[in-house]
Amino acid sequence: MKKFLINLICLFIFSKKKRKKFKQKHLSTNLTNIAPDNHIEIAKGDETHITLSVQGKNNTIIIKKLHKDTKGKLNISLAGNNCHITIEENILISGVLTIIVGQNHPNFSLIENTNISIGKDTSFEICTISTYNSNATIEIGEKCMFSYGIDLFHTDAHPIYNLDKSKIINKVKTMKIGNHVWVGARAVILKNSIIPDDSIVGFSSVVSSKSFKGESGHCIAAGNPATIIKREISWDADGSKGYIQNIPD
């Protein structure tokens, strides 16, 4: 209905330049590929940074106000029913954040009851978050920092069975990244991984559900597969406190 009304009003705007400007202000083409019976909330002014594709019904996507310095893009593709994606306020996207929930594909189907949440004050350069499974959860805490080339792959995409095929052995449950976690460039975080608060994932590491098992936080994991290499640490996103300047001790 909104698109129809905007196009109707444009019939009375004779200047091509003004007509284009009016459409850009009131009708973002990035937000038109949404099936009926879905609830979408996007903070005013952020539409130009967001592309949505939503299939299915009773899905909820809430994107609160992005960080004022966001220059990048948020791309969300959702193929499911009764799924929820919540992105809290002040998220900074400098490159591209892609979220894929379900696929409309011959080997898959619409998924159900999957939830993704991202806490406030978290930043992304280039990151892809994916799950193709129903009843899956991905939680990312507050004040996290994601570098470039990162994959959060909360799925194996296809089932793995024991030999008599009586049991699927690679079920997808919960991926949880705590508060104040720094994920280095080109890292991969695999299904069911739990990363505790105030931790670091090293460059090009592959994190599994065993990488941080038993840790309470303040540690670094690196390698493939990632293992704990240092404990009793913390980190700061602000490089101006002597680090960039490389001031001698």
Side-chain angles (χ1 to χ4, degrees), residues 33-52:
N33 190 21
I34 301 171
D37 302 319
N38 291 290
H39 177 70
I40 311 295
E41 293 182 24
I42 296 173
K44 185 177 180 181
D46 286 339
E47 296 89 345
T48 56
H49 295 289
I50 299 168
T51 300
L52 296 182

Side-chain angles (χ1 to χ4, degrees), residues 19-137:
R19 189 163 61 243
K20 182 179 179 181
K21 187 175 180 180
F22 182 84
K23 279 191 173 184
Q24 287 176 338
K25 181 177 180 181
H26 296 282
L27 183 63
S28 173
T29 56
N30 294 334
L31 305 180
T32 57
N33 190 21
I34 301 171
D37 302 319
N38 291 290
H39 177 70
I40 311 295
E41 293 182 24
I42 296 173
K44 185 177 180 181
D46 286 339
E47 296 89 345
T48 56
H49 295 289
I50 299 168
T51 300
L52 296 182
S53 175
V54 182
Q55 302 175 61
K57 60 184 180 180
N58 297 326
N59 299 296
T60 299
I61 298 177
I62 298 174
I63 305 171
K64 297 183 181 179
K65 188 65 180 174
L66 298 174
H67 191 284
K68 61 182 179 61
D69 293 328
T70 287
K71 300 292 191 299
K73 293 289 185 180
L74 170 60
N75 302 321
I76 297 176
S77 174
L78 193 163
N81 301 308
N82 305 303
C83 297
H84 292 77
I85 299 174
T86 302
I87 298 176
E88 297 294 345
E89 65 270 14
N90 213 39
I91 300 300
L92 174 61
I93 305 171
S94 56
V96 179
L97 171 59
T98 301
I99 300 175
I100 302 170
V101 181
Q103 282 194 53
N104 189 354
H105 182 278
N107 291 334
F108 298 88
S109 60
L110 298 186
I111 64 175
E112 305 271 348
N113 304 311
T114 287
N115 298 289
I116 296 179
S117 62
I118 300 175
K120 64 182 181 181
D121 301 322
T122 289
S123 65
F124 296 89
E125 291 188 33
I126 301 174
C127 179
T128 299
I129 302 170
S130 308
T131 187
Y132 306 138
N133 298 83
S134 294
N135 306 305
T137 299

